[in-house]
């Protein structure tokens, strides 16, 4: 029975990415009626789950911390593509879309994914254990990127409003890429051991705790299907985005809610993978996924929108408001206090989840 279930799972994860791309070709550039939107949404959800599966296959083949890096970059590619395409089509109303989506990604990853992982890991194994050196370095990089890209534009004076001038935007883009590149080199080359899962005694789990790695052929097939799934997710999400925006406007909500919905959608693969890792007592992998995704979200999105701003019809607003800056500062402080001990109880996970809830509530009801 178990083999049969695995066979069925393998079939649908292979079929859905192809179906998503076919459906994308059939619906691209068309106004979709309600029934078709529902079908597209179902296929979109399936493509996200298929992407998680294939990213985990590739991750299992290449090992940690390369595995979490693969998934973080893959998810960020979705986010960047969605932001840029929606901004190019949205005009003035999309001026804050990049800021809203990136900040939503930071809050969801640093409070939602991280908090949920700590909560699941601590409840299942009494204490969630991770490497404070690697996690602390990741949190410091995320905080620096967030301040440089999302806080400073509120206080600069070269342009009116919370915007960067061209020179400032170029600096932010180059700094983001540089810091992200330095972190990846640290994570994968010089200090890779800081980002490997640990057990309660602070030791790296033995290899026999892991299932047998997939073959190279299987990993390459999954890599190809992962790319198809990502293309399908990006294209189909763009197709249903007018429906999302119309629903947000009809509900009388601010345009910032659109950014939250996009971030929640594209970070679903990260969330599922992080919780699975936490259940296996690999909380460090969960931390790599959460903070790595936040870092990639800023480090890759800001350069992308900086280039796209050359063609954007409207302004590019990156500076956060006062409320969001307070939430960001509190997230960094609480995150630092969580990371320093190298272990956490359910309390720390609950604190981060409450911060996420506060952000969501204030976004809906500012």
């Amino acid at each position: 029975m178990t083999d049969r279930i695995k066979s069925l799972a393998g079939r649908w994860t292979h079929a859905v990415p192809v179906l998503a791309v076919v459906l994308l070709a059939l619906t691209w550039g068309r106004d979709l009626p309600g029934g078709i939107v529902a079908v597209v949404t179902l296929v979109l959800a399936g493509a996200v789950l298929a992407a998680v599966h294939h990213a985990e296959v590739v991750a299992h083949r290449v090992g940690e911390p390369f595995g979490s890096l693969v998934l973080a970059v893959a998810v960020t590619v979705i986010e960047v593509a969605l932001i840029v395409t929606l901004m190019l089509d949205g005009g003035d109303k999309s001026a804050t879309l990049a800021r809203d989506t990136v900040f939503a990604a930071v809050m969801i990853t640093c409070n939602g994914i991280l908090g949920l992982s700590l909560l699941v890991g601590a409840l299942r194994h009494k204490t969630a254990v991770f490497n404070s050196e690697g996690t602390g370095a990741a949190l410091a990089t995320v905080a620096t990127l967030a301040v440089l890209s999302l806080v400073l534009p509120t206080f600069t004076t070269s342009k009116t409003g919370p915007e960067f001038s061209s020179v400032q935007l170029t600096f932010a883009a180059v700094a983001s890429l540089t810091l992200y590149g330095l972190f990846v080199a640290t994570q994968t080359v010089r200090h890779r051991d800081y980002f490997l899962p640990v057990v309660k005694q602070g030791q790296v789990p033995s290899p026999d705790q892991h299932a047998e790695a997939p073959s190279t052929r299987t990993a390459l097939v999954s890599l190809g299907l992962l790319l198809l799934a990502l293309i399908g997710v990006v294209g189909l999400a763009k197709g249903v985005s007018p429906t999302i925006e119309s629903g947000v406007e009809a509900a009388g909500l601010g345009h910032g809610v659109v950014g939250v919905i996009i971030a929640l959608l594209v970070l679903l693969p990260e969330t599922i993978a992080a919780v699975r890792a936490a259940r296996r007592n690999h909380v460090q992998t969960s931390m790599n996924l959460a903070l790595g995704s936040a870092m990639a979200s800023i480090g890759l999105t800001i350069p992308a929108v900086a280039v796209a701003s050359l063609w954007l019809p409207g302004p590019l607003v990156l500076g956060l408001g006062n409320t969001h800056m307070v939430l960001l500062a509190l997230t960094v402080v609480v995150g630092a206090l969580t990371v320093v001990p190298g272990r956490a109880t359910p309390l720390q996970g609950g604190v981060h989840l409450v911060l996420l809830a506060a952000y969501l509530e204030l976004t809906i009801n500012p």
Side-chain angles (χ1 to χ4, degrees):
M1 180 64 70
T2 302
D3 292 339
R4 184 176 181 182
I5 293 174
K6 288 182 178 179
S7 177
L8 290 174
R11 290 176 184 174
W12 82 260
T13 54
H14 282 64
V16 169
V18 178
L19 176 61
V21 172
V22 171
L23 186 59
L24 173 61
L26 295 175
T27 58
W28 183 259
R30 300 182 181 182
D31 293 330
L32 305 180
I36 300 299
V37 169
V39 173
V40 169
T41 303
L42 288 175
V43 175
L44 176 60
V48 169
L49 296 177
V52 172
H53 169 77
H54 292 298
E56 288 189 333
V57 172
V58 175
H60 194 189
R61 176 62 183 175
V62 299
E64 282 297 321
F66 298 99
S68 57
L69 181 63
V70 168
L71 186 53
V73 172
V75 168
T76 305
V77 168
I78 299 176
E79 181 185 3
V80 171
L82 280 174
I83 291 173
V84 172
T85 53
L86 291 175
M87 289 182 71
L88 289 174
D89 293 341
D92 290 339
K93 68 179 182 179
S94 64
T96 61
L97 181 62
R99 179 198 66 186
D100 295 338
T101 306
V102 170
F103 183 64
V106 171
M107 296 301 291
I108 291 168
T109 53
C110 294
N111 289 316
I113 299 178
L114 188 146
L116 187 59
S117 299
L118 292 178
L119 185 63
V120 169
L123 288 176
R124 190 174 179 85
H125 304 284
K126 295 186 178 179
T127 305
V129 182
F130 49 89
N131 194 318
S132 59
E133 289 91 343
T135 308
L139 179 62
T141 308
V142 170
T144 301
L145 288 171
V147 170
L148 289 178
S149 301
L150 301 177
V151 175
L152 287 184
T154 304
F155 300 99
T156 55
T157 58
S158 296
K159 292 189 70 172
T160 304
E163 300 178 44
F164 272 146
S165 66
S166 298
V167 175
Q168 292 167 341
L169 183 59
T170 301
F171 171 79
V174 173
S176 297
L177 282 176
T178 301
L179 285 176
Y180 185 65
L182 285 173
F183 178 81
V184 170
T186 301
Q187 184 185 37
T188 59
V189 182
R190 295 188 63 86
H191 298 286
R192 182 186 173 193
D193 55 316
Y194 287 178
F195 301 91
L196 297 177
V198 296
V199 294
K200 289 188 177 181
Q201 293 76 23
Q203 300 170 343
V204 177
S206 59
D208 58 4
Q209 292 182 358
H210 302 276
E212 183 180 354
S215 65
T216 301
R217 180 180 180 276
T218 301
L220 289 175
V221 170
S222 286
L223 180 60
L225 290 171
L226 172 61
L227 294 176
L228 283 181
L230 296 181
I231 293 171
V233 169
V234 171
L236 294 179
K238 184 178 184 298
V240 301
S241 61
T243 303
I244 295 174
E245 292 177 349
S246 299
V248 168
E249 291 178 1
L253 301 175
H255 196 68
V257 177
V258 176
V260 175
I261 294 174
I262 292 174
L264 287 171
L265 176 65
V266 300
L267 289 171
L268 180 59
E270 293 276 25
T271 305
I272 297 173
V275 171
R276 286 178 178 175
R279 286 176 58 85
R280 298 193 303 268
N281 204 21
H282 290 179
V283 178
Q284 182 61 51
T285 300
S286 302
M287 305 293 266
N288 293 345
L289 286 166
L291 297 176
S293 182
M295 197 182 311
S297 178
I298 306 174
L300 300 180
T301 302
I302 297 303
V305 297
V307 174
S309 65
L310 298 174
W311 297 277
L312 287 175
L316 177 61
V317 176
L318 292 177
L320 296 173
N322 294 333
T323 301
H324 285 170
M325 282 192 287
V326 170
L327 286 174
L328 177 61
L330 186 57
T331 296
V332 172
V333 172
V334 171
L337 295 175
T338 298
V339 165
V340 168
R343 58 182 182 175
T345 65
L347 174 61
Q348 282 94 334
V351 170
H352 283 281
L353 290 175
V354 167
L355 281 175
L356 175 65
Y359 161 69
L360 296 176
E361 192 275 333
L362 290 171
T363 300
I364 296 173
N365 186 27

